[in-house]
Amino acid sequence: MKSIFTLILSAFLITACAQSNPQDNMTVGELNTVNFRGDDSKVVLDVRTAQEFSEGRIAGSENLDVLKTDLFTTSIQKLDKEKTYYVICRSGSRSQKALNQMKEAGFKHIINVTGGMQAWEAAKLPIEK
C-alpha cells in the first residue's frame, strides 16, 4: 500500500514539474502582436522538422528540429540564453518538449506558443514559404 502511494505521488510530482507555468504560454494571436522582426533580443524558434519548416513558417523564424535530440541539445548550448525565445511547432506538443529542455539548459526567457502552426494557419496569419 505504501509503495503504491509513493508511486502515485512520484508520478504526480513528475507530471506537475514537467508542465509549464501559464506565463510560459502565449497564443498565436499574442505572438502576432510581438514585434520580433528587427529585434535581436527576440527569436521565434520553430522546432518542427526541416520538411515541415520548408512547407510554411513564420517570417524571420529559425528552425531547430527538437526530434533530432542530440543535435537539438548541442545546438541550444550555442544559443544566447539572454534572448527571449518564442517556441512553436505544429500543434504545441514538441514546443513544450523543447521549452522543458531549454529550461533545463538554463534559459530563462522561453515562451511556448500554444496551438502551434496549426493555430497560426487557422487564424489565417501570414506564412512564408
Side-chain angles (χ1 to χ4, degrees), residues 45-61:
L45 185 63
D46 190 321
V47 295
R48 298 176 298 155
T49 66
Q51 176 68 36
E52 289 172 304
F53 187 73
S54 70
E55 291 169 0
R57 62 191 164 274
I58 297 170
S61 61

Side-chain angles (χ1 to χ4, degrees), residues 23-28 30-37 39-47 58 60-63 79 83-89 95-96 98-99 102 107 109-114 116-117 120:
Q23 65 267 21
D24 294 335
N25 294 310
M26 171 182 279
T27 67
V28 294
E30 291 168 325
L31 177 62
N32 193 44
T33 66
V34 174
N35 186 14
F36 59 87
R37 292 171 189 91
D39 184 345
D40 290 341
S41 70
K42 299 173 185 171
V43 178
V44 175
L45 185 63
D46 190 321
V47 295
I58 297 170
S61 61
E62 297 177 16
N63 182 231
L79 297 177
K83 292 184 178 185
T84 300
Y85 293 90
Y86 301 89
V87 186
I88 193 165
C89 65
S95 58
Q96 184 62 57
L99 180 137
M102 292 174 79
F107 289 81
H109 312 285
I110 340 159
I111 299 165
N112 179 40
V113 182
T114 58
M117 288 301 292
W120 186 271

